[in-house]
Amino acid sequence: MQHGPAVRRRKLGAELRALRAAAGLTSGEAARLVGWHQSKVSRIETGTSGVKPADVRLLLDAYEVRDAQLRDLLLVLAGSDAGGGRHHWWHAYRGVLPPTYRDFISLESQAAAMRTLETTVVPGLLQTSEYARAVTRAAVDGLSEDRLDTLVEVRLARQDVLRADPPLRLSAVLDEAVLRREVGGPGVMARQLTRLVEAARLPHVRLQVLPFGAGAHIGVTGSFVIFSFSSTSDLDVVVLDHLTSSLYLERKEDLEAYTEAFDALRIHALSPEDSLDYIAGIAAGA
């Protein structure tokens, strides 16, 4: 398990190494093409040192990488706030958001698909502003109103990935506790449940409820997110969120384990159609 920046360096380095190999170049030959010492290329590829976006561009040009989406993604991993793709709006909040949250948003903004199990609260991408405010106030003690406003603003801005072209494909499994836990009062919760029903009708959103009747399940250990990228599966990552930080799992074995767990949860959950009816039923009594 690694913190976000270390994972991004390693993933970026591994992808650059693969691209160099595909270009038929040794690390020494690549270094000569861009005017560096061979050791710098090696450090970048092993993730032992950071790399500037400008250096990534040099390497991608040397390797004749023309895929615009792949270039954008690798530049984001290098910390770039320029280039094509979705706008990197979160850099405007550097003084407010912790680095791990910015890392999460950067991955979310570039991912093609997101699979998530939520056991406690509604996924951030599907929260109403009222619900987001109530959750944030409860989760972070002593927030000023200005900072609370900013964090809710960020939460809502993240939801633009569902309206992008192409949109993020979201598949979410919600434990029934998410729907039953009253956050912000009955009115806030009723409107949040209605929002879930509306979102679930979008063609790129798949929502399933894991009812209490399903009993104990593999997700009882906690929530998780799996990000997938269209350019290369080598950049896929699992994120485990904690109170003060996030942990990122990048090993192939971890990805396979969490993918299998998510698939198992989907089997035990209600179908998307039955889930809609289930949520609507709870909303009617909220």
Side-chain angles (χ1 to χ4, degrees):
M1 292 187 292
Q2 300 281 346
H3 290 284
V7 168
R8 294 201 303 179
R9 285 198 306 270
R10 290 177 58 182
K11 284 186 169 295
L12 176 58
E15 187 63 20
L16 290 172
R17 182 170 61 250
L19 291 171
R20 172 179 58 74
L25 298 171
T26 66
S27 58
E29 290 169 339
R32 284 192 294 274
L33 281 175
V34 295
W36 299 344
H37 192 280
Q38 187 270 341
S39 62
K40 179 173 180 177
V41 174
S42 296
R43 289 195 302 272
I44 290 173
E45 291 185 351
T46 57
T48 56
S49 67
V51 55
K52 297 177 181 178
D55 289 343
V56 172
R57 290 190 185 92
L58 282 177
L59 291 174
L60 294 178
D61 290 343
Y63 304 157
E64 298 184 356
V65 177
R66 302 289 180 249
D67 185 328
Q69 188 174 25
L70 178 58
R71 288 178 68 100
D72 282 345
L73 177 55
L74 296 181
L75 287 169
V76 167
L77 290 177
S80 172
D81 59 359
R86 297 181 181 124
H87 296 299
H88 307 151
W89 54 267
W90 59 92
H91 286 277
Y93 297 91
R94 281 184 180 273
V96 179
L97 305 180
T100 51
Y101 192 17
R102 296 201 305 268
D103 286 333
F104 184 91
I105 295 173
S106 70
L107 291 171
E108 183 179 73
S109 70
Q110 293 293 322
M114 174 179 173
R115 288 164 285 177
T116 181
L117 164 70
E118 288 292 347
T119 60
T120 54
V121 298
V122 170
L125 294 183
L126 302 178
Q127 292 178 8
T128 65
S129 60
E130 298 171 298
Y131 186 98
R133 178 173 293 274
V135 165
T136 304
R137 180 180 282 118
V140 186
D141 189 41
L143 274 180
S144 68
E145 283 301 310
D146 286 347
R147 186 176 175 87
L148 178 59
D149 289 344
T150 299
L151 291 175
V152 172
E153 181 180 311
V154 169
R155 181 68 53 86
L156 299 180
R158 283 174 48 202
Q159 298 177 5
D160 283 346
V161 295
L162 295 177
R163 297 182 285 269
D165 184 18
L168 175 76
R169 299 190 306 276
L170 174 63
S171 181
V173 174
L174 307 183
D175 190 277
E176 185 172 345
V178 172
L179 310 176
R180 298 287 185 183
R181 179 172 291 104
E182 188 175 287
V183 175
V188 170
M189 200 62 205
R191 288 185 288 275
Q192 177 60 73
L193 294 176
T194 299
R195 164 70 175 134
L196 284 178
V197 172
E198 294 170 351
R201 293 195 176 108
L202 296 172
H204 51 282
V205 175
R206 181 186 178 98
L207 196 61
Q208 291 181 258
V209 175
L210 196 61
F212 288 146
H217 53 78
I218 197 168
V220 296
T221 54
S223 304
F224 61 85
V225 171
I226 307 173
F227 286 122
S228 299
F229 300 87
S230 59
S231 298
T232 170
S233 62
D234 290 340
L235 294 174
D236 291 358
V237 64
V238 177
V239 185
L240 308 179
D241 205 23
H242 296 269
L243 181 62
T244 57
S245 65
S246 296
L247 293 175
Y248 294 68
L249 308 179
E250 58 172 331
R251 296 186 309 163
K252 181 179 179 182
E253 308 94 288
D254 294 323
L255 287 163
E256 289 177 349
Y258 277 88
T259 297
E260 290 174 4
F262 189 79
D263 290 343
L265 289 166
R266 285 181 54 184
I267 291 172
H268 287 93
L270 300 176
S271 70
E273 295 76 19
D274 289 343
S275 294
L276 271 177
D277 292 339
Y278 204 80
I279 297 171
I282 295 175

